[in-house]
Amino acid sequence: MVAASGTSGKSPRYYPAEDVKAPKPSYKVKQNAAKVRKSITPGTVLILLAGRFRGSRVVCLKPLESGLLLVSGPYKINGVPIRRVSQAYVIATSTKVDVKGVDVSKFNDDYFSRANDPVKAEGEDEFFTGDAPKAAIVSDERKADQKAVDASLLKAVAAVPMMEGYLAAKFSLSENDRPHKMLF
Amino acid sequence: MPFTRYAEVGRVVLVNYGPESGKIATIVDIVDQNKCLIDGPQDITGVVRQVIPFSRIALTDLTVKIQRNARAKTLKAAWAEADTLNKWEATSWAKKLAAKKKRASLSDFDRFKVMVAKKQKSAIIAKKMEELAA
């Protein structure tokens, strides 16, 4: 009589002659969709806290895939062009502008990627004297896009009384302001 | 100068501290030297009937004609008869509290509008002063 085996279930009818390695789990990092603060929606007026345009009040146009926000001054009002801005350096106010009529479908992260400059072979002297500040060259494409977006954006801004002056003014704290108690 | 604002049954008080702070209520009974029983009435001011120390309330000038331990129904009727809520809101004390609250709830855009209004007001005053000084 064959003794009852200790293992439960029958052994499989087939198994390979050599051991087959089980595939290792993939450690590829899964990227989740970028989280945008609930208070930031298209049309929200944002206060920029850092960077070249710190203190400016600006209209948020849409969140981009990378998590950055697409933003425009409008340029005519406060000099802020169509630009990407990080959520972390922004205060979202409760004021909103109706930007439903503004077409921003062509803007994405690739639009803003740096054009590859040809690598310059620098001599030692040039290295030590440093770079002279280069004037920013704004491409005609950018200027045209700015005009197109701002045409409809300015109309939306004009619809709200005093909004133009508000966007033109810069935000700053004065002596009796308590930012932790202020509502934006 | 004698005292005129007594902590008595029927005195309308403003709660200063605790979860009901900022609301008004009526003294319905005195417990001892340090505490009293107050009631909103709950339907009008939102303050439930509770014992509260005097250190947490501020007496107002208003009173309501009620007897000691008046029920909520009687209290509510007395308030309606004396029109206490409107009388309170007409006082400058209540108006100052309301203004403070409004100021704290302004958005950034509202604050901008206030700033512009202040500038316009002072421009008008300055112009008038210039006319008067001439």
Side-chain angles (χ1 to χ4, degrees):
Chain A
M1 285 282 271
V2 180
S5 65
T7 54
S8 62
K10 299 188 267 193
S11 53
R13 196 185 302 173
Y14 163 77
Y15 51 86
E18 309 263 320
D19 284 335
V20 175
K21 281 205 173 131
K24 286 195 191 145
S26 160
Y27 293 110
K28 201 166 189 170
V29 178
K30 190 180 82 154
Q31 282 285 48
N32 291 321
K35 254 195 247 176
V36 181
R37 260 186 277 163
K38 201 170 53 174
S39 50
I40 301 177
T41 63
T44 312
V45 173
L46 308 172
I47 301 176
L48 303 181
L49 296 173
R52 178 166 167 203
F53 300 102
R54 55 185 160 277
S56 300
R57 292 171 173 118
V58 126
V59 180
C60 173
L61 294 172
K62 77 171 186 187
L64 297 168
E65 255 187 24
S66 58
L68 301 170
L69 307 169
L70 184 75
V71 128
S72 176
Y75 184 71
K76 253 216 164 95
I77 296 182
N78 52 21
V80 180
I82 297 178
R83 202 171 196 265
R84 293 185 299 175
V85 130
S86 167
Q87 282 182 66
Y89 300 97
V90 135
I91 294 180
T93 66
S94 55
T95 320
K96 307 230 189 267
V97 177
D98 185 7
V99 292
K100 272 201 295 270
V102 183
D103 179 24
V104 282
S105 45
K106 73 177 287 198
F107 299 106
N108 54 16
D109 289 298
D110 296 325
Y111 177 90
F112 295 98
S113 61
R114 256 194 247 265
N116 285 323
D117 294 324
V119 176
K120 290 187 289 180
E122 284 186 330
E124 262 191 32
D125 291 334
E126 291 173 340
F127 186 79
F128 285 115
T129 50
D131 294 322
K134 283 179 282 210
I137 308 164
V138 182
S139 68
D140 290 325
E141 189 205 355
R142 289 271 184 115
K143 291 189 191 165
D145 290 336
Q146 184 76 51
K147 271 211 168 125
V149 166
D150 279 359
S152 32
L153 190 52
L154 282 169
K155 266 194 243 149
V157 163
V160 185
M162 298 185 86
M163 179 59 73
E164 221 181 289
Y166 176 56
L167 293 175
K170 284 231 172 144
F171 173 80
S172 70
L173 292 172
S174 44
E175 174 134 1
N176 295 317
D177 289 335
R178 302 283 178 265
H180 67 292
K181 282 191 163 164
M182 287 160 76
L183 293 176
F184 289 94
Chain B
M1 288 171 317
F3 289 101
T4 51
R5 268 189 211 169
Y6 294 102
E8 56 192 326
V9 171
R11 173 69 55 185
V12 174
V13 299
L14 174 71
V15 180
N16 284 331
Y17 182 92
E20 319 265 27
S21 67
K23 300 185 189 161
I24 51 170
T26 340
I27 295 182
V28 155
D29 196 0
I30 312 273
V31 174
D32 63 11
Q33 197 183 355
N34 296 318
K35 31 194 195 287
C36 59
L37 180 66
I38 60 167
D39 194 356
Q42 192 180 356
D43 293 333
I44 301 180
T45 71
V47 180
V48 279
R49 185 172 278 236
Q50 60 191 277
V51 172
I52 196 170
F54 287 114
S55 53
R56 292 194 177 190
I57 59 175
L59 308 179
T60 68
D61 279 332
L62 302 169
T63 55
V64 184
K65 237 175 146 226
I66 50 165
Q67 290 202 336
R68 189 174 68 89
N69 268 328
R71 278 161 67 221
K73 196 172 82 165
T74 325
L75 185 57
K76 206 170 153 186
W79 265 61
E81 210 206 303
D83 201 20
T84 319
L85 190 60
N86 289 331
K87 282 219 189 86
W88 164 248
E89 278 167 11
T91 64
S92 57
W93 187 350
K95 288 191 201 151
K96 277 190 273 181
L97 289 177
K100 233 184 176 176
K101 218 175 179 185
K102 186 101 199 350
R103 220 174 266 149
S105 72
L106 291 177
S107 78
D108 190 48
F109 191 25
D110 293 331
R111 265 175 262 131
F112 172 77
K113 290 190 222 176
V114 165
M115 184 262 290
V116 170
K118 275 191 184 171
K119 281 175 86 171
Q120 289 172 338
K121 175 180 158 191
S122 66
I124 297 171
I125 293 174
K127 192 157 148 222
K128 190 67 180 177
M129 291 295 282
E130 219 183 300
E131 287 176 24
L132 293 175

